[in-house]
Amino acid sequence: MVDGWTTVVQMASLALAVWCGISAFRNRPMLVPHLIGIAVLEVLLLVQLVLSIVLLVEGPRPPDTVTFVSYLVTLVLVPPACAVWGLMERSKWGPAVIAFACLVIPVLMVRLEQLWNASVV
């Protein structure tokens, strides 16, 4: 996996989590800028998906490829799911849902790295 890109995605996710957490703390509902942040994060995750697929096709595969691919799919599906849920929840809890989901994404990324690096060891 591309370590630099993974770090960029994790930092963007954590920044969005902090921003949405502050919005939730201030009793603000989810607004269009939050959706734009989720969209940017989703684009970053789609690039991660493409990079991972290219690396899977061209190079060595992780020992547990099925688990790796399932984590990739989950990673890409989390932001749209939290956006829908956040839009349905028009109170301060909308941004809180996004903040929580954005805290889950770096954990999924770390797990992807662990699965990928298991093939190197």
Side-chain angles (χ1 to χ4, degrees):
M1 299 222 351
V2 182
D3 291 333
W5 187 254
T6 301
T7 303
V8 167
V9 173
Q10 288 174 332
M11 291 299 117
S13 181
L14 291 173
L16 186 57
V18 168
W19 178 38
C20 290
I22 291 170
S23 293
F25 183 73
R26 295 176 65 198
N27 291 327
R28 307 272 188 211
M30 189 168 116
L31 301 172
V32 173
H34 294 112
L35 288 175
I36 293 170
I38 294 170
V40 169
L41 182 61
E42 181 67 14
V43 168
L44 295 175
L45 291 172
L46 289 171
V47 170
Q48 176 68 44
L49 175 71
V50 170
L51 287 172
S52 298
I53 290 172
V54 168
L55 290 173
L56 278 173
V57 170
E58 290 182 351
R61 295 189 173 118
D64 197 358
T65 306
V66 174
T67 304
F68 183 81
V69 170
S70 68
Y71 272 95
L72 269 177
V73 170
T74 303
L75 193 64
V76 173
L77 293 177
V78 166
C82 80
V84 170
W85 190 359
L87 277 174
M88 291 185 334
E89 181 60 53
R90 298 303 299 170
S91 68
K92 72 173 186 175
W93 297 111
V97 168
I98 299 169
F100 180 75
C102 289
L103 292 174
V104 169
I105 289 173
V107 175
L108 291 171
M109 297 289 290
V110 167
R111 185 66 184 128
L112 278 175
E113 284 287 334
Q114 290 172 344
L115 289 169
W116 185 265
N117 290 332
S119 65
V120 177
V121 175

